[in-house]
Every structure is written in C-alpha cells, then in structure tokens.
Amino acid sequence: MKNYLLFYITILSVFSFNGYSQKSQVASADIKYDNYAYIDAIKTYERVAAKGYKSIDLFQKLGNSYYFNSDLDKAAKWYGELFSMSSDQQPEYFFRYSQCLKSVGETDKANMILEQFYQKADDDSRAKLFEKNKNYLEDIKANSGRYIIEDAGVNSKYSDYGSSYYNNKLVFASARDNGSIGQKKHKWTNQYFTNLFVADLGEESTLGEINEFSNTINTKFNESTPVFTKDGKTMYFTRNNYLDGKKGKDGNDITLIKIYRATFENDKWANIIELPFTSDQYSTAHPALSPDEKTLYFASDLPGTIGQSDLFKVRINDDGSFETPENLGKKINTEGKETFPFVTAENELYFASNGHLGLGGLDIFVSKINPDGTFDEVQNVGDGINSNNDDFAFLIDTKSRRGFFTSNREGGLGYDDIYKFIETRKLIYKKELFGNVTDLISAQILPGTTITLFDNQFKLVSTTNSDQNGNYSFNVDSEKTYNIRAVKQEYTTKEQKIRITRENGRTELPITLEKIRCKVTVGNDLGVCFGIKMIYFDLDKSNIRQEAAYDLEKILDVLIQNPTMKLDIRSHTDSRQTFKYNEDLSNRRAKSTIAWLVKNGINQNRLIGKGYGETQLVNKCLDGVECTEEEHQQNRRSEFIINSL
C-alpha cells in the first residue's frame, strides 16, 4: 500500500541513547524516518533492536514504520513489544495496535485494546463507534458473503491498484517496470513510481491487453486514481505535485500530491491543470464524480480535517470553476483515515477507512447519499471484499453489479492487487419498522394516530402519524431495541417494545388500540372490550393464574361501575382430549371464574356460568382434523356475555 497516496501522519520524537555508535545509527534512521523513507529506517531500527536494545521510541518507530506501509503483521509484533515494555502510551497507539491485532486474527485481544482506547479517548469518534456497537463483527458478518471474487488478470509483481471505467476500458495505476531508463523508485516503499495503464473491458469484466494510458499524463513521478466524465472528454487524476517539469514542495521540503484535470483534444490528453483548491502545503487525491458530474468528491488532509485524511466534496460550476470544498462531516469522517471515495449511479458513497469498525487495516464502507446531501448509516460491506489487510478503491457498475477493488491481502501476486467481483446480493441500507394501526374490537383502520419511536432508554428518536390506510413506518438500526407509543383521541395509549434483527430489512409491528369508552348492549361479550380472549389456567387445572386475575380485574371494575349489569360466563375448550373431559374441565373453570368475582365483592345472583367444552367450536378443528396450534387456540376461549344492563 502506497501511503503517500493514502496520507500519512508524522510523529516527531528524539531518541535518547547510551553509546555513540547506537546514537549515530538511530540518528541516521531518524532522518530517514522523518523524511518518510520508511523502508531504509526499518532496516536500521531492526538492526539496533536485534542487538537487544530496547526503547519505547524505538518500538514506536518500528511499529509506525510498518504500520504506515500497511505491513500490519510486522507492525503488530513491534507494537506488542512496545506495550510489553509499557502500556502508558498515547491513545493513538492503542488504536493502531488494535488494527494490527485484527490483521493477524487476534480479534478478541484487539477488542480488549479498543476498550482501553475508549477509556483513554472517549471523545474520539472511533472510540464512540466501538462503545456504541461492540458487536460490530456481527454486523459485518450479516453483510458478508455477497460477492464472488477473483483476480482481475492484470496484476504484476509490483503494486497495481485504483481502477476507473473509461470508454469500455479499465484504467488503473501500476508500479510495474515499464522499461523506461529513467523510471524512479520511491524510498518509502522501494517500489517504482506509478503510472496509468489501460486494458479493454470485455464480458464478465475480463480484461484484455495492457498498455500505457497516455504519455502526456504519465510522468516520472506518481499518477493514479483517475475518474472520467461520461463523454470521455475530461479526466481528473492524482499526481505528485509536479506540472510542466516543475516539482512543488511544502515547508518541510516534501513533495505532496494534488488532483489535476485534463481534457481530450486532437486525440490526446492536454490542458493539464491543478485544481484551484489544491496546495503545496497539503495533499488532495482520489477524485470521484457524482452521477450528474456536478460534484467532485476527494480525499485530503487540508487544514480543518477531522482525522489523518478526510473526504470532501466540491461543487463544479457550469463554467468549470469550483466552489469552496466542504468536509463530508463526522458521519463519514473519523480521527482515522478516510480515503478512496467512489460514488455510484445510485448515489451510494463507497470509501476506504481505518477509523470505522472493520476487520483490520483499511476496510471498504458504504453510505447512501440522501437527496438533501446527508448520509445514511455507514456500513461495512462485509468479509470477502474486506480482509484483515488493506482493502480499498472500490468500483462497481450498478447495472451489471460487477466491479473491481484493490487489496494487499494474502495470496496476491504483487504488493497491491486488483480483484474483480460480482455482487450476488445487494446491501440493505435501511432497516424499516412498519405496521398498521387498527381498532381492537372492530379491526377498523385508525388513520391519524400519533406514533412515537423511543430508544431502549425512552429517548425520543422520531414521531409520525399513521396515514389514511392506518400505516406507519420508521427507519431503524439493526440489533437495537425500541419502544413504540401509539396515541389517539378516544383510545387508550399503548406502548410496545420491539427488537430489530439483522436478518430482515423490514420488521412488522401491528398496533391495536382499545377505545376508552366501549359501547355494549345485551348479548355482547364484555371481554371483547378489553381484548380478553381466554382466561388462563394452569394445564388441566381450574385455579386462577396471575395473568387471569389481571383480566378479571377489568371485568370486576365494570361490574362495580355498573351495579345492574349481569353476566353469563362461558368457558370453551378445543377438541383435543375426550368430550367428557373437556366438558368437566370447562365447567370447573367457569365456576372458578365466578367464584373469583364473588370473592372480590360481586353478588352471586348477578353471575351465571357454564362450561361448553368442545360443543361450540368456531372453526373446523373437530376430532381427527389436523389443525395448527393457532387454530386450536381460537376454540380455547372465555366469554362474558351481558344478560342484563
């Protein structure tokens, strides 16, 4: 992974050594380290460490050198030495160490280190993400298994990455040996500088012969990550700060990277300019266009970024000029690294990040862009595309569901490799909680009911009203518990709890409301007013259970409030067991119900009752007829028929 394209963070520290020889060796390594020549620095640091020398600074720099070059397993080794020597480290080292532990499969230990990271930096958005969702691996698992992946067929033993569609071709960056005498190597990675290459794109994303893209675009420095307008006449691309033979440097004498624009005229790419919001003092890279080509997305560490690199967008005016870049905000950006944006024709933002919760290294994430420019919940696209190493530069054709991405995972041909894929199952961006609201007795729909959604701590999330068909819906998060409150005039307010699972995109929760005033007359079942379908008894017994007493309290209250009301209490069973057994059991239960009401103050002469056993079934479930448990339940019922008012 070329971190000059992913952005870096420089940690300046001074070694304190005993012995002139070691001082001189490490001082030399420090110079290389501070100039980002990490490969050379590593050699010196490791030679010093091999002699048994231990230092917090030494282990920090060894860990960082490998971390910045995305060699996470080796970084894990040296960060392990660092934490063995002292766990009193800055929070960032806890985060880096956890990332490296994931890359070597030590997920439990990584999460333990993340927990400590949260204790040290609870205001860090990465720590908040972990504390909010410690079961993030389950979310990743739910999004996994959606891709068929194979080698793209264009990889070399060098670094190949960052592809883009262009006129039925695929353009990508590569550090392969192009035979040029002046081809340069970069001290950070010991890789050749990258140029753009192109291959014809065939059926099923097969790639043809590889050629250099353009000798007017490629230079002796780095070119990468192009994006093209649909008409093929304009391209934006990343290059080192180099134009017209002149190399720009920042205040530390470092050549950073910029986004450039070129137009296709007279069969060649020309008019190469750097974009006006670029600078010698910070990097801009990895351009991506919105579907209408009026907005350019990119990565940068320009002043005011939240993390090591953030994602930005900038409006492109009709005359080709640009508005002021806008940070995509904390929903997308973290204190870590967000980079390699890509926007699909369906307004989905894919990007790589090591700040959001992932499997290790850079993972690929996605968020739906709403019409108002806000973003939906950020989701990890899952295992397969993502690995324990760096995965980035995601590209997909939304019609064919085929695409490409880059990874430095195990088993690749080179330093970074391009893989092709087909998506077999689309990601569900939003979980929906929905249902309809009806009257408990009549089943009449109830439009205009106020439905309020609360979290599990009863903090307000959202409010809506049921529509003309009695329907309501909310966008919710998976693996969360919510409370729903339904309020309508003349009805009793109702609250229900619901758990949203990962498996389904839509969770249904019907709501039935009881009228505050239930109108009844002689011959009506009083139990219907309160939704009493059955008075519950223990199996084969007739003693009143606690939940039965709760329902009987409602009947008791009505009888007290209406002293002239008389009831006929009827108990029914299903057809299972013998006719005689069911008759006797239902009789005992009817008598137990009457006895409970009499015990609680109702005059015996207001109550009559009888058990009807299985003689008044409400459906087909006679002896010998196969029925579901739900169908049998319909026959096991209690009735409170009003005989007199």
Side-chain angles (χ1 to χ4, degrees):
M1 171 68 64
K2 290 157 288 302
N3 282 279
Y4 51 86
L5 293 176
L6 293 175
F7 303 105
Y8 44 78
I9 178 172
T10 306
I11 299 176
L12 296 176
S13 59
V14 179
F15 278 101
S16 175
F17 285 100
N18 294 318
Y20 175 80
S21 175
Q22 287 179 333
K23 282 184 179 179
S24 62
Q25 288 184 58
V26 180
S28 172
D30 280 352
I31 293 172
K32 296 169 185 175
Y33 179 93
D34 292 338
N35 284 287
Y36 314 110
Y38 296 133
I39 294 297
D40 293 339
I42 286 172
K43 293 176 182 176
T44 303
Y45 292 144
E46 287 193 321
R47 283 193 292 267
V48 171
K51 295 179 180 179
Y53 186 83
K54 293 185 177 182
S55 160
I56 288 176
D57 289 335
L58 174 63
F59 293 146
Q60 284 178 343
K61 290 199 170 185
L62 269 170
N64 290 342
S65 292
Y66 281 116
Y67 183 81
F68 296 151
N69 273 291
S70 298
D71 196 343
L72 299 185
D73 57 342
K74 291 181 181 176
K77 170 188 173 182
W78 293 112
Y79 285 145
E81 293 287 349
L82 172 65
F83 276 79
S84 294
M85 192 170 182
S86 173
S87 60
D88 184 20
Q89 303 297 326
Q90 293 296 315
E92 191 64 28
Y93 283 98
F94 284 83
F95 181 77
R96 292 178 193 167
Y97 189 27
S98 72
Q99 291 288 93
C100 296
L101 287 169
K102 290 180 190 178
S103 75
V104 296
E106 295 187 38
T107 305
D108 290 342
K109 187 174 181 180
N111 288 337
M112 181 186 72
I113 296 296
L114 273 176
E115 185 71 57
Q116 296 176 49
F117 173 62
Y118 173 74
Q119 299 301 324
K120 283 180 166 285
D122 58 1
D123 60 340
D124 189 297
S125 65
R126 297 167 295 178
K128 290 177 180 177
L129 285 170
F130 174 70
E131 186 65 18
K132 181 180 178 181
N133 186 13
K134 293 184 179 180
N135 294 322
Y136 68 93
L137 290 173
E138 292 299 319
D139 290 335
I140 295 175
K141 182 179 178 181
N143 291 343
S144 300
R146 300 184 299 110
Y147 300 93
I148 299 172
I149 301 167
E150 58 182 302
D151 186 278
V154 294
N155 294 308
S156 67
K157 65 180 181 179
Y158 299 98
S159 185
D160 304 280
Y161 72 100
S163 50
S164 179
Y165 293 124
Y166 168 62
N167 290 345
N168 294 318
K169 301 175 187 293
L170 191 76
V171 181
F172 61 96
S174 178
R176 66 189 64 206
D177 187 350
N178 61 15
S180 171
I181 297 175
Q183 191 172 13
K184 298 169 69 69
K185 280 190 175 182
H186 202 288
K187 290 185 291 183
W188 288 4
T189 61
N190 208 29
Q191 291 265 318
Y192 289 116
F193 281 76
T194 59
N195 288 147
L196 296 181
F197 292 81
V198 63
D200 289 332
L201 187 62
E203 293 183 4
E204 298 183 354
S205 297
T206 57
L207 296 172
E209 182 181 356
I210 302 168
N211 295 291
E212 286 197 59
F213 176 68
S214 167
N215 58 14
T216 59
I217 296 295
N218 289 335
T219 66
K220 61 183 178 179
F221 291 103
N222 291 295
E223 286 79 33
S224 69
T225 54
V227 65
F228 301 87
T229 54
K230 296 183 183 73
D231 61 12
K233 294 181 179 179
T234 303
M235 70 177 290
Y236 301 88
F237 65 99
T238 307
R239 180 196 279 173
N240 278 116
N241 188 356
Y242 179 78
L243 186 63
D244 297 330
K246 297 179 181 179
K247 184 169 65 170
K249 295 184 178 182
D250 68 3
N252 295 316
D253 204 32
I254 301 297
T255 299
L256 302 177
I257 50 178
K258 293 183 176 181
I259 298 174
Y260 295 83
R261 180 174 66 191
T263 56
F264 195 69
E265 298 179 5
N266 300 320
D267 294 326
K268 68 176 182 179
W269 290 100
N271 304 318
I272 302 173
I273 63 166
E274 63 182 66
L275 298 190
F277 51 82
T278 62
S279 169
D280 292 348
Q281 304 306 313
Y282 56 81
S283 288
T284 54
H286 315 318
L289 284 167
S290 62
D292 63 7
E293 300 183 347
K294 294 182 179 180
T295 301
L296 188 75
Y297 293 80
F298 63 96
S300 179
D301 60 350
L302 64 83
T305 54
I306 296 168
Q308 298 168 34
S309 68
D310 285 3
L311 297 186
F312 292 80
K313 66 179 179 180
V314 61
R315 184 74 175 173
I316 305 173
N317 297 318
D318 292 340
D319 62 0
S321 62
F322 294 85
E323 300 289 342
T324 302
E326 177 184 344
N327 191 296
L328 295 192
K330 293 186 177 181
K331 188 89 178 235
I332 301 297
N333 294 314
T334 69
E335 284 83 351
K337 183 187 300 176
E338 280 69 47
T339 186
F340 287 101
F342 171 72
V343 183
T344 71
E346 298 176 348
N347 266 322
E348 304 154 302
L349 173 67
Y350 286 88
F351 62 98
S353 171
N354 66 5
H356 290 276
L357 297 170
L359 298 176
L362 288 168
D363 273 23
I364 296 168
F365 297 84
V366 64
S367 177
K368 187 77 172 179
I369 306 173
N370 297 314
D372 62 358
T374 59
F375 295 93
D376 278 351
E377 177 186 3
V378 172
Q379 295 197 62
N380 187 301
V381 301
D383 198 358
I385 289 289
N386 288 322
S387 68
N388 292 340
N389 292 76
D390 285 325
D391 309 286
F392 57 102
F394 186 92
L395 173 72
I396 189 172
D397 172 19
T398 54
K399 292 182 178 179
S400 68
R401 310 311 298 180
R402 294 181 181 272
F404 298 86
F405 72 99
T406 304
S407 179
N408 66 348
R409 63 188 58 192
E410 293 288 334
L413 184 63
Y415 194 57
D416 295 316
D417 292 294
I418 299 173
Y419 295 85
K420 65 179 181 179
F421 66 83
I422 180 168
E423 185 183 57
T424 59
R425 173 172 57 90
K426 292 186 72 173
L427 189 67
I428 298 173
Y429 290 104
K430 289 184 177 179
K431 305 288 186 182
E432 182 186 12
L433 174 62
F434 74 101
N436 68 340
V437 189
T438 57
D439 184 290
L440 175 67
I441 299 173
S442 68
Q444 178 184 356
I445 61 173
L446 297 178
T449 303
T450 300
I451 313 294
T452 307
L453 181 71
F454 300 90
D455 66 12
N456 64 344
Q457 301 297 318
F458 275 92
K459 292 181 180 177
L460 177 65
V461 176
S462 184
T463 298
T464 189
N465 290 315
S466 57
D467 64 17
Q468 60 183 1
N469 297 314
N471 297 321
Y472 74 93
S473 70
F474 294 103
N475 292 324
V476 292
D477 295 330
S478 62
E479 289 301 297
K480 284 191 175 180
T481 298
Y482 293 91
N483 292 283
I484 289 281
R485 180 182 297 162
V487 179
K488 187 171 179 63
Q489 191 173 3
E490 296 186 356
Y491 284 86
T492 301
T493 297
K494 187 173 186 178
E495 289 185 339
Q496 292 175 256
K497 182 175 288 188
I498 183 72
R499 177 76 174 172
I500 308 301
T501 65
R502 292 185 179 87
E503 287 72 24
N504 299 317
R506 305 181 78 223
T507 300
E508 184 175 10
L509 180 65
I511 299 174
T512 56
L513 296 182
E514 302 177 61
K515 274 193 173 181
I516 293 174
R517 297 183 62 85
C518 182
K519 295 179 181 179
V520 294
T521 189
V522 173
N524 288 161
D525 182 359
L526 180 60
V528 174
C529 273
F530 303 103
I532 302 171
K533 296 179 180 179
M534 179 180 177
I535 296 298
Y536 288 91
F537 300 85
D538 288 327
L539 182 64
D540 295 333
K541 295 182 180 179
S542 55
N543 53 302
I544 301 297
R545 284 169 49 176
Q546 184 177 357
E547 54 264 50
Y550 171 68
D551 279 335
L552 287 178
E553 285 284 356
K554 302 171 188 176
I555 302 298
L556 175 65
D557 182 76
V558 174
L559 289 171
I560 292 172
Q561 300 303 318
N562 297 272
T564 60
M565 181 183 286
K566 295 181 179 181
L567 294 181
D568 178 5
I569 298 172
R570 303 174 182 179
S571 177
H572 303 268
T573 69
D574 59 38
S575 62
R576 294 177 291 187
Q577 293 287 351
T578 67
F579 182 91
K580 177 63 174 172
Y581 179 91
N582 287 331
E583 184 180 43
D584 291 343
L585 178 63
S586 61
N587 264 319
R588 291 197 305 273
R589 289 179 171 178
K591 290 178 180 178
S592 293
T593 303
I594 292 173
W596 189 94
L597 290 168
V598 171
K599 179 182 177 181
N600 284 276
I602 303 302
N603 195 304
Q604 175 75 58
N605 64 17
R606 297 174 62 188
L607 305 171
I608 62 172
K610 180 182 177 182
Y612 290 83
E614 58 184 272
T615 62
Q616 295 184 6
L617 302 179
V618 296
N619 55 28
K620 64 179 181 177
C621 299
L622 299 167
D623 287 336
V625 177
E626 185 175 345
C627 289
T628 65
E629 185 60 37
E630 183 179 354
E631 289 172 319
H632 283 302
Q633 176 66 64
Q634 292 171 8
N635 292 314
R636 297 195 304 273
R637 65 197 191 277
S638 299
E639 295 174 322
F640 300 85
I641 305 301
I642 299 172
N643 281 340
S644 173
L645 287 172

